[in-house]
Amino acid sequence: MSGFLVDDKSWAVCELAVEAGHWYAGKEILIPSGKVERISYEDSTVFVSLTKADIQRTAEHQVVQAGA
């Protein structure tokens, strides 16, 4: 996780900025907070309820759309 976006009214975390991983050349994308299953700080890994295809079809710095 390299950052996050916060709603300016409720201060809730809306999206996490994450690096897609070694299998996709370090592309940074935005993951909706509702798609985060857990974060392992020990392993520096964010576990999400998205498919690899969902992530691959997302342009860098864009929000992942599940099943789009």
Side-chain angles (χ1 to χ4, degrees):
M1 186 172 88
S2 58
F4 51 89
L5 297 172
V6 177
D7 181 278
D8 63 348
K9 300 210 185 321
S10 68
W11 290 94
V13 174
C14 300
E15 287 122 15
L16 302 178
V18 299
E19 203 171 284
H22 65 281
W23 50 265
Y24 206 66
K27 177 170 88 169
E28 188 177 77
I29 56 174
L30 301 173
I31 304 288
S33 60
K35 295 294 182 183
V36 175
E37 292 179 350
R38 68 184 174 94
I39 299 173
S40 171
Y41 295 98
E42 191 173 285
D43 297 328
S44 297
T45 304
V46 177
F47 295 88
V48 297
S49 58
L50 296 163
T51 66
K52 188 174 181 178
D54 292 335
I55 292 167
Q56 286 179 317
R57 72 173 152 259
T58 303
E60 186 161 20
H61 301 116
Q62 297 299 309
V63 178
V64 176
Q65 301 295 318

